[in-house]
Amino acid sequence: MEGIEHRTITVNGINMHIAEKGKGPIILFVHGFPELWYSWRHQILHAAASGYRAVAPDLRGYGGTTGVPSNDHSKFTVLHVVGDLVALIDAIAPDSHQVFVVGHDWGALITWYLCLFRPDRVRALVLFFPLIAFELALAYSSMELGISLKGKGFGDSPAILRLSCLAFVLSKEDVDYYASKFEQTGFTGGINYYRAVDLNWELTAPWTGSRVKVPTKFIVGDLDLVYNIPGVKEYIRDGGFKKDVPLLDEVCGHGRRRPLHQPREARRDQRTHS
């Protein structure tokens, strides 16, 4: 795809497939569930054209990355996956030592832990959650997805949207690519990330109360279902998020930037006069 190169690197005891393009400072793109490096195909091209080296791996259990026993969910903890990424950074950036990191969905969760465990390897972090995080090859199935189209989160009576409507988001070529990869691997690897959630809580107990001290930007859609869960907006807007991530620069939503240092009164006045 337009000059994107592919190779496999041995990292942390597994064989990790990566896609990359460009020269310059490295941006590491980390995908979510159930996605692949391919989810970042457009961003890879844009980053490369902007003077960066874009690198997007298939995480353990996904796509062309092999060497992990899919029948053992204990091999899919955040410690394992962050270990993969640290070893990958060692391999692709032996001189610069640090990289920019962009994470989406489960990839966002993993990059939070990367910044918590090894902030020395991350120059800055960008996190992204779209309105529909589950954008994938399932469009071929007859499943139906209930989502809110009016922006009030789970409280609305959901509209029923057939996944085939994702043709507005994914081309047939895109769907074919995802379908072919998941036909080969199945979804077990990706689901193992969820199976390991309780184990993650146990293993990360030593970091309870720790803060993420990496320069961070957070991008969220105003209609994102998770963003509209009760309490989430308040946590982001009223200082809780900033407390846990002191170097959080801003939250970007619906094309509008919201500086985190701005008090609620100032934000309210700004909305009144905008």
Side-chain angles (χ1 to χ4, degrees):
M1 180 179 176
E2 299 186 45
I4 295 178
E5 299 179 352
H6 298 265
R7 60 187 172 119
T8 299
I9 301 177
T10 300
V11 297
N12 197 28
I14 67 174
N15 303 310
M16 177 170 277
H17 164 255
I18 67 170
E20 59 185 333
K21 182 178 174 65
K23 296 181 179 180
I26 294 174
I27 303 178
L28 179 62
F29 291 96
V30 186
H31 68 77
F33 172 87
E35 302 178 44
L36 301 164
W37 75 268
Y38 190 79
S39 303
W40 300 108
R41 59 200 179 281
H42 302 301
Q43 289 80 5
I44 290 173
L45 299 178
H46 179 76
S50 301
Y52 293 90
R53 179 184 172 194
V55 179
D58 286 336
L59 296 179
R60 61 167 55 204
Y62 287 93
T65 294
T66 62
V68 186
S70 61
N71 61 348
D72 184 358
H73 73 271
S74 70
K75 301 298 184 183
F76 289 81
T77 71
V78 291
L79 294 181
H80 289 89
V81 184
V82 170
D84 298 342
L85 295 182
V86 171
L88 176 60
I89 294 171
D90 287 339
I92 63 176
D95 299 323
S96 58
H97 192 62
Q98 289 186 322
V99 299
F100 294 100
V101 179
V102 181
H104 165 237
D105 189 67
W106 254 102
L109 176 66
I110 292 163
T111 56
W112 277 131
Y113 281 110
L114 171 63
C115 293
L116 185 63
F117 301 155
R118 295 299 304 272
D120 58 308
R121 308 312 304 271
V122 181
R123 295 181 65 176
L125 173 66
V126 175
L127 296 150
F128 172 67
F129 284 91
L131 172 59
I132 305 175
F134 199 87
E135 50 170 19
L136 259 253
L138 299 179
Y140 271 150
S141 76
S142 60
M143 294 175 60
E144 292 181 337
L145 176 66
I147 64 169
S148 165
L149 297 181
K150 295 184 179 180
K152 296 181 181 179
F154 296 117
D156 282 350
S157 298
I160 299 300
L161 176 68
R162 289 190 178 276
L163 285 175
S164 58
C165 291
L166 287 177
F168 289 107
V169 179
L170 300 176
S171 68
K172 185 178 183 303
E173 179 184 7
D174 296 335
V175 172
D176 287 343
Y177 184 87
Y178 282 118
S180 67
K181 294 301 180 182
F182 282 102
E183 282 177 355
Q184 295 172 16
T185 65
F187 288 91
T188 301
I191 293 173
N192 279 340
Y193 286 67
Y194 294 91
R195 293 188 175 117
V197 166
D198 288 344
L199 186 54
N200 286 336
W201 279 103
E202 296 177 16
L203 294 174
T204 59
W207 288 273
T208 300
S210 297
R211 297 179 178 183
V212 173
K213 297 181 179 180
V214 168
T216 302
K217 290 190 178 183
F218 183 77
I219 301 173
V220 63
D222 285 350
L223 304 184
D224 189 291
L225 298 183
V226 175
Y227 182 61
N228 285 279
I229 292 175
V232 173
K233 289 182 181 179
E234 291 75 15
Y235 171 72
I236 292 175
R237 294 176 177 177
D238 297 344
F241 198 11
K242 180 70 172 178
K243 180 180 178 181
D244 292 333
V245 189
L247 299 182
L248 180 66
D249 180 44
E250 60 189 8
V251 173
C252 303
H254 198 62
R256 179 178 59 193
R257 294 185 173 182
R258 303 188 181 100
L260 267 294
H261 62 272
Q262 207 174 19
R264 292 183 65 184
E265 294 75 12
R267 294 200 301 270
R268 185 163 53 246
D269 292 343
Q270 186 181 60
R271 288 196 297 270
T272 302
H273 293 92
S274 61

